[in-house]
Amino acid sequence: NNRMELYRVRHAELKKPSRGVKAPGTLIHSKEFENVKYTQVNKGWVDMYEEFMAEAKPLAKETNNVKVSAACIAAAGPISNNSVTFTNIEPPWHIDGDELERRLGIDTVLLINDFVASGYGILTLNEEKECRTLQNAPRVPGAPIACLGAGTGLGQCFLTAENDSDGYACFASEGGHVDFAARSQLEFDMQQYLKTKFGDEKRISVERVVSGRGLANIYEFLCQYSETSKLEDKETTKQIEKAAVDNQEGKVISKNAESDRLCKMTMDLFIEAYGAEAGSCALKFTPLGGLYLSGGLTSKNMGLIDVVDTVEDGKTTISGAEARQLTIRSHGRFMEGLRDKGRLSSVVRNIPVYAILDEDLGKRGAHYVAVKLLYNNQQSSLSLSSKQEQSKEEKVGVGKSDGGASVLSMVSAAALVCTATLVVATVLRRKQM
């Protein structure tokens, strides 16, 4: 689906986005679109956009001339040459940023990966209220940041500091598709089962295990595994199969984990594998600026992820955990998987780790990028205008114009398909005096 939101950002608010605060803007209009309703009548993304804008214009009360000046589309797919093709939609949708500029009259259109949008969303977090600290290590200013998130799939991205400012640039990663590495006999047997299921003799990706669909794969394996098959509850299995129509198997498994032994085993295997992949991510990027966990399977399973290691963390941490009403165990499967990195376990322990509670991270990141686009465009325009005015004064000897006309421009951002989000921000700008 596509979720679209319209914001107005006034000229006084328009500035380079800052760390720890949401990008500026007042919400004017929002709407969610179902892709299938448009494909059934041979319509596409542009039709959604035009319908949304038609509804938004009457709400932009200060002007009837709503013009988009910058757009950021965060798409759930590989971006190439500022374009993307969605092959899981019939007929496939193809979105080209340059074409949209010409067709829709938008000055600038930028396409980014949907998980890159999540990475930028990290920069908007109020960490005290919107994150939980899983490993409290010193954060190094300007050091790399990494993010992974289990949801429908397993997304990963990383951020590096920009040379000319205190900001960060985010980059896509397909780390969720690296090889799954078994860490126990049970995981090894599961790996062999999944290789057969997916017809690959040599490997399966970690996303086959650490994702919503991965939960279903784990449960399916345990149902036929000789040592655990007797624990299967046929009624639970029926619920899971029914939920598969909407890719909600993981939700059913998580919901039944306290009462169903096989669901509990499934969650235990999932959480430990998630922690192990988080630890691998920590080793690959060495994100001393922070390793962040996002995605619906993170925020919805904090009772399993946000645990306290009573042996490692000592009395002070346990007291703090009691005050925050966290689960306290002798050890937590997630952190055990994350920290168990052999000779380099000490490196992982020096990386701050946070779990993100907000599930709209991609939408916030798209908004952040959109405002940043508009800010950069404005700075370029001001620089050009200043040079032109200086040239006029030198040639003609006249002062600057005092024109005071107001202009409404718009920033739009979108994430399409399953994690679909469209964020549209409007900016009321006055001609520079």
Side-chain angles (χ1 to χ4, degrees), residues 19 119 122-123 127 131 133 135-148 157-160 168 278 281-282 285-293 338 348 350-356:
R19 181 81 185 266
I122 289 172
L123 304 178
E127 293 184 358
C131 295
T133 301
Q135 183 162 273
N136 190 16
R139 186 161 58 190
V140 178
I145 295 170
C147 178
L148 75 161
C157 66
F158 64 99
L159 298 88
T160 60
Y168 274 82
C281 191
F285 297 113
T286 321
L288 295 175
L291 174 63
Y292 292 80
L293 309 176
L338 184 145
V348 176
N350 287 326
I351 293 172
V353 182
Y354 310 95
I356 299 169

Side-chain angles (χ1 to χ4, degrees), residues 159-180:
L159 298 88
T160 60
E162 295 178 316
N163 293 329
D164 58 347
S165 69
D166 58 354
Y168 274 82
C170 186
F171 302 91
S173 167
E174 293 298 339
H177 295 282
V178 300
D179 297 354
F180 171 73

Side-chain angles (χ1 to χ4, degrees), residues 14-88:
L14 185 57
K15 56 185 178 181
K16 191 167 187 177
S18 303
R19 181 81 185 266
V21 295
K22 292 183 179 180
T26 302
L27 182 64
I28 300 299
H29 181 45
S30 64
K31 185 172 182 177
E32 183 167 345
F33 295 86
E34 293 184 48
N35 294 342
V36 65
K37 289 184 177 180
Y38 287 80
T39 57
Q40 288 174 346
V41 292
N42 294 319
K43 291 186 176 181
W45 184 86
V46 170
D47 298 291
M48 290 182 187
Y49 173 83
E50 291 178 340
E51 179 180 325
F52 179 76
M53 293 302 299
E55 294 177 3
K57 283 182 180 180
L59 302 174
K61 299 177 181 179
E62 297 184 39
T63 179
N64 291 322
N65 182 24
V66 180
K67 183 184 184 299
V68 180
S69 61
C72 172
I73 302 175
I79 309 299
S80 177
N81 296 321
N82 204 30
S83 66
V84 66
T85 300
F86 299 100
T87 56
N88 59 341

